[in-house]
Amino acid sequence: MSRVTDYIQSTFQDVRARNPHEAEYLQAVEELLATLEPVLEAHPEYLEENILARMLEPERVISFRVPWTDKDGKVQVNRGYRVQYNSAVGPYKGGLRFHPSVNQSILKFLGFEQIFKNVLTGLPIGGGKGGSDFDPKGKTDAEVMRFCQSFMSELQKHIGPSLDVPAGDIGVGAREIGYLYGQYKRLRQFDAGVLTGKPLAFGGSLIRPEATGYGLVYFTENMLQANGKSFKDQTVLISGSGNVAQYALQKATQLGATVIAVSDSNGYIIDENGIDFDLLVEIKEKRRARLTEYAAEKASARYYEGSVWDYQGPADIALPCATQNEINGTQAKALIQNGVYCLAEGANMPSDLDAIKIYKENDILYGPAKAANAGGVAVSALEMSQNSLRLSWTKEEVDQRLQDIMENIFTTAKTTAETYNLGKDYLAGANIAAFEEVANAMIAQGVV
Ligand code: NDP
C-alpha cells in the first residue's frame, strides 16, 4: 500500500472511530477522500502537515436549547446548532436548515461540503452550516416567528458580518430570514451583512432567490456545451418543488428544455407539456400547499405517490433538487436505462455512494453538488459585498456575475480533471481544486 493510500485510510478510520453514529457526515468525508489520492501524491507537504485530519475536524460545533410557545400555549423545545467548520478562506458562511430530520451528522456533512463549495466560487468565504429539528410545515406564521426569535436569541452570540453569516436552506426561506433578522437587529444593531437571503426591502440582493436554481442550470449548460449538447429540446426530471427546484425549472424552460417532473416528500407530478412555473410557485409559496393541488388544477398533470426517481419514462437530464440520499444505485441504473445521460445536483449529496459509482461506470455527465449548486452561496457573497458597499446592483449585473462564476466553476472542475488525467471526472476535478485552495490557505496560516 502506498504511503498516500495508507494516510487516507488511516485518517478515515480515525474519523469513523470518533464519529461512529454520524452516517451522513462519514459519507460526505468518504466521497471526498475517494478522489484525493492524485493531489496528495503530488503534494507530499499535505501529508507532513497532516492536513486531512485538520480539515476533517470542525473548528467549532455549537448546540443549544430553543424553547418556544405554540399556538395552544404549550411550551415546546427544539435543538439548535451552528457548525463553524472552516474559516481559512473567510468568515463561516452557509445556510440554516429547519427540518425534523436535522441532527449533528447532517449539519456536519453540510458544513463540510460547504467549505469546498464556497472556495470554488472564488469569493472569500469559509464554510459553516446550522439549523434545527423544528418543522415549519403546518405551523402558523406566529409560531414560526416565536421559534425564529428564540433561535436567534442564542445564535446571535456566535455570528456577525465578519465572523459567520448564515442564510436559508430547507425550511428557511424569506419569511424565516425576515423573522431571524428582526430579532438579531433588536438584540444587536442594524447590520444587514449578518444574514443573506434577506428580502430586498432591507438589504437583500436581486437574483438571490433564483441563484441556486439558475446557477445549477448555468453550470449544467456549460457542462453540456463542453460535450456538444445543450438544454434545448431536452426532457428534464427535477425533484423537489422548493426554492432550488422552482428556479431550476424556470431557467431550464427558458433555455428550451421541457421539465416534465417535480416532487415533494409525498409524491411527484408528471406533466409532459412541461411543468407550469407560475402555478407551481402560486401553490408552493403563496398557498403553502401540496403538489396534489397542482394535479387537481392542471388537466395534463398526473400525480403519483413515492419517489420521482422511480418514474419509469424516457428523459435526458436529471436535476435532483430535494434532499440528501434521494437517489440510490438501483434508481441511478434505471435512470440511465431510461435515457438520462446528464445529472447535476441542486440538492446537497442527493446521490448515495452507489449511485455515484453507477454514474462513473456509465460515463454520464455528472455535475456534483459542490460545484453545480454553488450559485446560491455565490450570490449570498455578492449580497454581503453589496451590504458592505451600501449599494444595490441591478438584476442584470448580479445575473451576469452569477453566470461568470458558474462558468468558472465548471472550467476549474474540467481543467483540474484534465491536469490530473482524470478525463471527464468533474467530481474529482472539483474536489481536488477546492481541496488544494483550502489546504494552501490553512498551511499558510500555520497550525491554528
Ligand atoms: P425548500 O425547503 O425550499 O424545498 C425543499 C424541497 O425538497 C421540498 O419540495 C421538499 O418537499 C423536498 N424535500 C425535503 N426533504 C425531503 C425528503 N426527505 N424527501 C423528499 N423530498 C424532500 O429547500 P431548498 O429548495 O432551499 O433546498 C433543496 C436542496 O437544495 C437541499 O438539499 C439544500 O441543502 C440544497 N441547497 C439549497 C440552497 C439554497 O440556496 N436554498 C443552496 C445550495 C443547496 P416537502 O415540501 O414535502 O418537504
Side-chain angles (χ1 to χ4, degrees), residues 352-372:
D352 74 9
L353 293 172
D354 288 340
I356 295 176
K357 206 163 138 235
I358 303 291
Y359 307 153
K360 245 181 126 168
E361 283 168 8
N362 287 277
D363 277 331
I364 68 162
L365 299 175
Y366 170 47
K370 276 184 206 82

Side-chain angles (χ1 to χ4, degrees), residues 267-340:
Y268 61 98
I269 301 268
I270 296 291
D271 187 344
E272 267 105 15
N273 294 341
I275 304 287
D276 179 336
F277 171 80
D278 292 329
L279 179 60
L280 183 69
V281 171
E282 159 72 26
I283 287 169
K284 295 300 293 185
E285 299 305 309
K286 305 224 170 83
R287 298 187 215 161
R288 293 191 187 274
R290 309 300 295 164
L291 282 180
T292 39
E293 276 196 28
Y294 182 105
E297 287 179 37
K298 196 89 180 169
S300 54
R302 307 183 302 278
Y303 177 81
Y304 301 92
E305 297 271 322
S307 165
V308 63
W309 304 121
D310 291 328
Y311 170 67
Q312 296 297 336
D316 305 304
I317 298 171
L319 302 176
C321 297
T323 193
Q324 64 273 359
N325 289 327
E326 48 172 308
I327 306 180
N328 61 32
T330 309
Q331 291 165 324
K333 258 187 221 152
L335 281 173
I336 294 168
Q337 269 159 16
N338 289 331
V340 169

Side-chain angles (χ1 to χ4, degrees), residues 16 155 191 196 214-215 238 295 306 376 398 408 441:
R16 204 166 34 196
L155 187 70
D191 205 336
T196 60
Y214 279 17
I238 291 182
V398 180
N408 281 340

Side-chain angles (χ1 to χ4, degrees), residues 97 137 169 171 208 212 241-244 265 290 322-323 347-348:
R97 177 177 291 191
K137 228 180 280 168
D169 190 79
R208 178 60 188 91
T212 309
S241 47
N243 172 264
V244 180
S265 52
R290 309 300 295 164
T323 193
N348 285 306

Side-chain angles (χ1 to χ4, degrees), residues 29 120 182 201 233 298 312 394:
V29 170
L120 283 171
D233 299 330
K298 196 89 180 169
Q312 296 297 336
T394 64

